[in-house]
Amino acid sequence: MNYVDGFVVAVPAANQEAYRQMAAEAAPLFKEFGALRVVECWGDDVPEGEVTDFRGAVKATADEVVVFSWIEYPSKEVRDAANQKMMSDPRMQAFADRMPFDGQRMIFGGFTTLLDE
């Protein structure tokens, strides 16, 4: 089964196109490093919860939209190797200088697949 890196981030609504462009430029690099699939989803129906929710998890403000994304790899080993390549690749480092969101509020994690139908 595949290995998945998942991400949730708050992006200013005004930065939607800048985010889309950044994601479109980064996706081929992730694939070059071993990713099978890169998915970026712009929040459309992200309700506020009574205890917790996506917006609270990333401390989204009223003018921000929650983005949920994931990258699929064939294995954790391929993901780990990809992360090492990303850390030293100047193309990836260039994205840090122009991120259209506050990267300190991004939440992320690696996940093993339990079910894929």
Side-chain angles (χ1 to χ4, degrees), residues 30-115:
F30 288 121
K31 288 184 173 183
E32 178 183 323
F33 298 143
L36 300 172
R37 185 175 179 210
V38 178
V39 180
E40 298 281 352
C41 304
W42 191 257
D44 177 58
D45 183 14
V46 184
E48 292 186 21
E50 291 184 27
V51 177
T52 191
D53 58 40
F54 279 109
R55 295 188 63 77
V58 293
K59 298 181 179 169
T61 61
D63 67 331
E64 292 179 320
V65 175
V66 173
V67 172
F68 175 67
S69 49
W70 68 93
I71 303 171
E72 293 180 30
Y73 293 94
S75 67
K76 184 176 190 296
E77 293 75 24
V78 171
R79 188 285 304 255
D80 290 347
N83 282 345
Q84 287 297 318
K85 291 174 190 173
M86 282 182 249
M87 295 301 224
S88 62
D89 192 300
R91 297 172 297 171
M92 292 301 292
Q93 293 172 2
F95 288 114
D97 297 333
R98 59 184 181 95
M99 288 194 309
F101 60 91
D102 179 0
Q104 293 182 343
R105 292 186 286 142
M106 176 172 46
I107 59 173
F108 56 91
F111 301 85
T112 58
T113 303
L114 291 178
L115 178 70

